[in-house]
Amino acid sequence: MPAGKTIIIYDSKCHFCINTKKFFERLDKNKKLRWGGIDSFDYKKYSLKKEDLLKEIHLIYDAKVYKGYYAFKRISKKIPLLFVFYLFSLIPGIDFIGNKAYKIIAKHRYIVKGAKI
């Protein structure tokens, strides 16, 4: 993996996930993020399981894996236009709320057909 690059593995069959990826790509002016769909990414190289990847987004940076809400938190730290969300996440208790909200959205993401971000 190139130095300073962040890999994000997402469900490339989920319309909500695809549109979320496109939204983040538009904001990522410095191209710090590299995206890989589950079906085309060699996730086994990172000792990840497909069934886990289908549950929530995964982010790989410096050999560490961040999942779900915590992946979103890392993304918001990397993209200047989203940095305010990262700062907000530093407030005590926000991680608990953010993680719960992420899990609800992830669980129901297929219900929102063609959802646009």
Side-chain angles (χ1 to χ4, degrees):
M1 173 172 54
K5 282 284 185 182
T6 300
I7 300 173
I8 302 163
I9 308 164
Y10 71 101
D11 183 350
S12 51
K13 292 186 177 158
C14 162
H15 292 290
F16 182 78
C17 304
I18 293 165
N19 287 320
T20 300
K21 171 195 173 268
K22 289 177 184 177
F23 173 76
F24 286 137
E25 283 180 322
R26 284 193 302 272
L27 297 178
D28 185 18
K29 303 293 183 196
N30 296 324
K31 305 294 181 218
K32 291 184 177 182
L33 307 175
R34 191 174 112 209
W35 295 82
I38 293 170
D39 293 328
S40 63
F41 186 77
D42 184 13
Y43 53 85
K44 291 177 184 175
K45 174 180 172 182
Y46 297 95
S47 301
L48 299 171
K49 296 177 185 170
K50 186 172 185 173
E51 52 272 9
D52 293 335
L53 296 171
L54 288 170
K55 291 178 187 172
E56 56 191 343
I57 195 170
H58 282 58
L59 181 147
I60 303 167
Y61 181 73
D62 280 346
K64 283 189 81 175
V65 177
Y66 301 86
K67 302 175 188 177
Y69 163 78
Y70 298 99
F72 172 75
K73 188 173 175 177
R74 288 298 291 190
I75 291 168
S76 65
K77 187 176 182 181
K78 295 266 182 200
I79 299 175
L81 291 171
L82 295 176
F83 194 74
V84 69
F85 290 106
Y86 173 73
L87 293 176
F88 183 71
S89 76
L90 299 177
I91 297 171
I94 295 298
D95 281 352
F96 177 79
I97 296 166
N99 192 36
K100 291 288 185 189
Y102 180 90
K103 288 188 184 299
I104 291 168
I105 293 167
K107 184 177 180 180
H108 300 288
R109 71 186 188 271
Y110 282 107
I111 294 171
V112 188
K113 293 189 189 264
K116 298 261 182 190
I117 300 293

